[in-house]
Amino acid sequence: RLGRARLRALVGSRPAGARLASGMTKFSVIIPTYNERRNIGILYLLLRDAFAHPKLVDDQFEVIVVDDASPDGTGEVVRSLQRVYGDKNLLLRQRNGKLGLGTAYVHGLESATGEFVIIMDADLSHHPCAIPKFIQEQRSSRCDVVTGTRYVRGGGVSGWDTRRKITSRVANYLAHVLLDPGVSDLTGSYRLYRKETMLTIVNKVKSKGYVFQMEIMVRCKKHGLHVREVPISFVDRVYGSSKLGGAEIVGYLKGLIRLFLTV
């Protein structure tokens, strides 16, 4: 968690270049990684393409890769991309071990210089082509958070077996019954936040792992923040293996009960 002094400093400051000129905005894309060597290069190129969208050409973006000491050499791939493209806005923040998803976002926030933060998975399940839609929605509604959803018209899932689809649906159903979060896809992790919003909320979050994302949305509703949804197509990873296992499912259920009792 961020200390109060550090939080005030990050919220109160606007680094040079965050707001470049009238109408120009900087976005910080935070990508936690663990064993994503075969995906991170493709994702980086897709991000460059997404921010070349005609409606975003006047804006700037940075990519912050928070790598948990991936044994497959993910960090080396990022360093190679930095050298090949000479991109000073591709940042690598390496940690000493597998320290968890929630703390990875906090770590990335400490390096973020944009007014808005985009969080997404590194496994190509979140296609960057949705980013212009997220930004357009935020600009038209002036909302605090834009979250991708698989469960409205225009959204969907590809590549999951029946078991995985049922697991996701049941997880979301239980969350809706117990927490009434106000969004259709509470377990998703493809979102855009105002940076000051995420900093304020994340300092209150106690959950780790997959429940971290869920608690953020519950607290957004509790604080009366304006949240909008954009349909996305979620595609199961092509390379690597899923991080979701039995331990994660048990952790989710425990986290759900804790949130119901405490938030």
Side-chain angles (χ1 to χ4, degrees), residues 30-50:
I30 299 176
I31 307 171
T33 59
Y34 185 77
N35 285 348
E36 299 292 355
R37 177 186 182 93
R38 301 180 70 181
N39 294 319
I40 193 62
I42 300 171
L43 179 58
Y44 171 68
L45 295 177
L46 290 173
L47 282 167
R48 289 171 64 102
D49 185 64

Side-chain angles (χ1 to χ4, degrees), residues 187-206:
T187 58
S189 56
Y190 194 2
R191 295 173 184 159
L192 178 152
Y193 296 88
R194 291 183 187 273
K195 181 183 174 184
E196 61 266 29
T197 294
M198 190 171 186
L199 283 165
T200 301
I201 295 297
V202 82
N203 200 48
K204 303 177 184 296
V205 173
K206 298 179 176 61

Side-chain angles (χ1 to χ4, degrees), residues 11 27 41 45 49 55 83 85 105 120 144 164 179 209 224:
V11 172
F27 299 89
L45 295 177
D49 185 64
K55 293 186 178 181
R83 289 192 298 268
Y85 289 93
Y105 289 127
M120 62 191 308
D144 301 296
R164 185 80 183 270
L179 304 177

Side-chain angles (χ1 to χ4, degrees), residues 60-261:
Q60 284 199 354
F61 74 101
E62 62 185 359
V63 179
I64 304 169
V65 178
V66 183
D67 184 60
D68 277 4
S70 297
D72 73 342
T74 299
E76 285 300 321
V77 173
V78 176
R79 278 189 281 268
S80 295
L81 291 168
Q82 289 172 326
R83 289 192 298 268
V84 170
Y85 289 93
D87 189 353
K88 294 181 180 179
N89 288 314
L90 173 58
L91 311 176
L92 175 63
R93 298 293 180 259
Q94 287 195 293
R95 305 197 294 174
N96 293 327
K98 195 173 182 181
L99 303 177
L101 187 64
T103 59
Y105 289 127
V106 173
H107 196 92
L109 276 169
E110 293 179 346
S111 297
T113 61
E115 293 177 71
F116 293 90
V117 173
I118 296 169
I119 62 172
M120 62 191 308
D121 293 346
D123 61 5
L124 304 179
S125 58
H126 297 152
H127 199 295
C129 68
I131 288 176
K133 299 175 186 176
F134 280 34
I135 295 173
Q136 181 180 6
E137 179 61 42
Q138 193 287 320
R139 286 175 169 167
S140 63
S141 66
R142 312 302 297 174
C143 64
D144 301 296
V145 183
V146 178
T147 181
T149 175
R150 298 161 286 184
Y151 301 129
V152 299
R153 178 183 290 273
V157 174
S158 176
W160 278 4
D161 58 20
T162 302
R163 173 183 170 276
R164 185 80 183 270
K165 289 179 180 179
I166 292 175
T167 299
S168 179
R169 285 287 189 176
V170 170
N172 268 284
Y173 175 77
L174 290 174
H176 278 276
V177 170
L178 294 177
L179 304 177
D180 187 24
V183 294
S184 61
D185 191 350
L186 187 61
T187 58
S189 56
Y190 194 2
R191 295 173 184 159
L192 178 152
Y193 296 88
R194 291 183 187 273
K195 181 183 174 184
E196 61 266 29
T197 294
M198 190 171 186
L199 283 165
T200 301
I201 295 297
V202 82
N203 200 48
K204 303 177 184 296
V205 173
K206 298 179 176 61
S207 302
K208 296 181 180 180
Y210 293 94
V211 184
F212 178 89
Q213 300 282 16
M214 184 167 62
E215 182 172 346
I216 285 184
M217 296 310 296
V218 172
R219 291 190 179 277
C220 281
K221 182 179 181 181
K222 182 178 179 180
H223 284 74
L225 297 177
H226 185 189
V227 180
R228 300 284 290 182
E229 292 187 303
V230 168
I232 61 168
S233 295
F234 181 98
V235 180
D236 198 19
R237 66 164 58 241
V238 176
Y239 300 118
S241 57
S242 172
K243 312 296 191 298
L244 181 64
E248 284 74 20
I249 293 173
V250 171
Y252 172 84
L253 294 174
K254 289 181 178 179
L256 185 64
I257 293 171
R258 184 184 62 77
L259 291 178
F260 174 70
L261 295 174

